[in-house]
Amino acid sequence: MTGTTDWYGPDTATFGDRIAAAREAAGMGQEKLARRLGVKLKTLQGWENDLSEPRANRLQMLAGLLNVSMGWLLTGEGEGLSGPEESEPVLPADVNEALLEIRALKTQIQTAGDQLGRLEKTLRLLLKDEL
């Protein structure tokens, strides 16, 4: 790169660095994010400290809650934060809270839809075997 730093690229930041940066950019503390993800605080801290990584379903939820792509979280490439110089307008706390809740619900709905599809497929196979 010429003249610019890739703040969150694979050579500059770790997976945990990107989680922490996106969480801070979303205006969330660790406790709040852990609660929204349905994980223990120690689990989230392990992710941010690069001691462990989330499973795919939690990674998807994490990306949705933090408004970044899963690819960006994993590699630093794709839709995410560009760097600390990036400044977005600060939203009132209640508006930001509502947006975060909408993202969380959207992720939960998507996860439930995936589960429903798998259950339907299983049921169809079971019924096919019975007939």
Side-chain angles (χ1 to χ4, degrees), residues 86-103:
E86 181 178 305
S87 61
E88 292 188 21
V90 177
L91 298 172
D94 55 344
V95 172
N96 195 40
E97 180 72 24
L99 288 171
L100 291 172
E101 201 166 328
I102 288 169
R103 281 190 217 126

Side-chain angles (χ1 to χ4, degrees), residues 71-91:
W72 182 84
L73 280 175
L74 293 170
T75 66
E77 297 176 1
E79 190 176 325
L81 306 178
S82 63
E85 71 280 351
E86 181 178 305
S87 61
E88 292 188 21
V90 177
L91 298 172

Side-chain angles (χ1 to χ4, degrees), residues 9-32:
D11 297 332
T12 311
T14 65
F15 174 73
D17 294 336
R18 287 186 286 273
I19 293 174
R23 176 183 52 75
E24 290 170 6
M28 265 193 278
Q30 287 182 326
E31 298 85 4
K32 185 174 191 173

Side-chain angles (χ1 to χ4, degrees), residues 33-103:
L33 180 57
R35 188 175 59 247
R36 288 185 172 243
L37 289 167
V39 299
K40 293 181 180 179
L41 176 59
K42 286 180 87 170
T43 301
L44 177 62
Q45 290 170 336
W47 298 343
E48 287 192 4
N49 293 322
D50 294 304
L51 300 174
S52 61
E53 292 182 357
R55 292 184 178 187
N57 63 333
R58 291 285 189 244
L59 180 62
Q60 182 180 21
M61 289 178 67
L62 189 59
L65 285 169
L66 298 177
N67 200 29
V68 296
S69 70
M70 288 193 305
W72 182 84
L73 280 175
L74 293 170
T75 66
E77 297 176 1
E79 190 176 325
L81 306 178
S82 63
E85 71 280 351
E86 181 178 305
S87 61
E88 292 188 21
V90 177
L91 298 172
D94 55 344
V95 172
N96 195 40
E97 180 72 24
L99 288 171
L100 291 172
E101 201 166 328
I102 288 169
R103 281 190 217 126

